[in-house]
Structures are given as C-alpha cells and as structure tokens.
Amino acid sequence: MKQYLVIALLLGLLVSQASLAQITMQQKHELVNELTEVLQSKYVFPDVADSMAALITAKLQAGQYDTISRGESLAFQLTRDLQNISRDLHL
C-alpha cells in the first residue's frame, strides 16, 4: 500500500504543480528518473517494477513524450503506460 501512495503522490505532485504550466524536457527526464527509482525501490513486485521502469524510460528516450507539454497530460500518459504493464488500477 505504501508503494501506491508514493507513486500516486509523485504523479499528483506533477499534476498540481504543472497542470497548466508548460513542462520542460528536463522536468520530464527528472520525473521519469525519479519515478523509476521509486518503482524499483517500493513497488511490491520487483519484476513488474523493472518492466514499468524500462517502458517509461524507453518511451522517454524514443521521444514518445516529447509532444506532451502539460504536466497533467504527462501524468495521465505515464499512469496509462504503467497500468498497461502492471494491470494495477491503484496507480
């Protein structure tokens, strides 16, 4: 349960602070890096955490988040990506 809270707080923080503001590439990289660290250290299923971290890192590196300009939209897309791997609706 604690791992869900940490992930939800990270995504919620992104939404609350940047939902209307433009999000920079640096912020996207920092968020994905921080999110992968939290997933890999806190998520209850380590193999699923590794898969989720690999997916969002690959998508970031491939430029698939480049056209997302608002924090709220990035949080939504990251949540969708994580849920597609984990099937965890708590995220």
Side-chain angles (χ1 to χ4, degrees):
M1 183 63 132
K2 184 177 179 180
Q3 67 275 8
Y4 298 131
L5 181 59
V6 172
I7 295 166
L9 287 173
L10 275 174
L11 291 173
L13 181 63
L14 173 67
V15 171
S16 67
Q17 289 185 343
S19 63
L20 299 176
Q22 297 288 317
I23 187 166
T24 67
M25 284 304 296
Q26 180 179 345
Q27 289 171 318
K28 291 176 192 180
H29 281 272
E30 289 171 1
L31 176 67
V32 169
N33 289 338
E34 207 170 316
L35 189 52
T36 59
E37 287 177 21
V38 170
L39 286 169
Q40 291 174 323
S41 66
K42 303 286 185 193
Y43 196 71
V44 67
F45 302 111
D47 56 327
V48 176
D50 290 342
S51 295
M52 289 189 289
L55 174 72
I56 62 174
T57 299
K59 288 184 85 168
L60 179 70
Q61 291 173 347
Q64 293 183 22
Y65 299 135
D66 287 359
T67 59
I68 299 173
S69 59
R70 291 185 4 202
E72 180 179 83
S73 300
L74 181 59
F76 176 80
Q77 185 60 53
L78 286 168
T79 300
R80 242 174 70 175
D81 291 342
L82 296 175
Q83 288 175 338
N84 283 337
I85 293 288
S86 68
R87 304 288 182 226
D88 185 345
L89 299 180
H90 295 98
L91 297 176

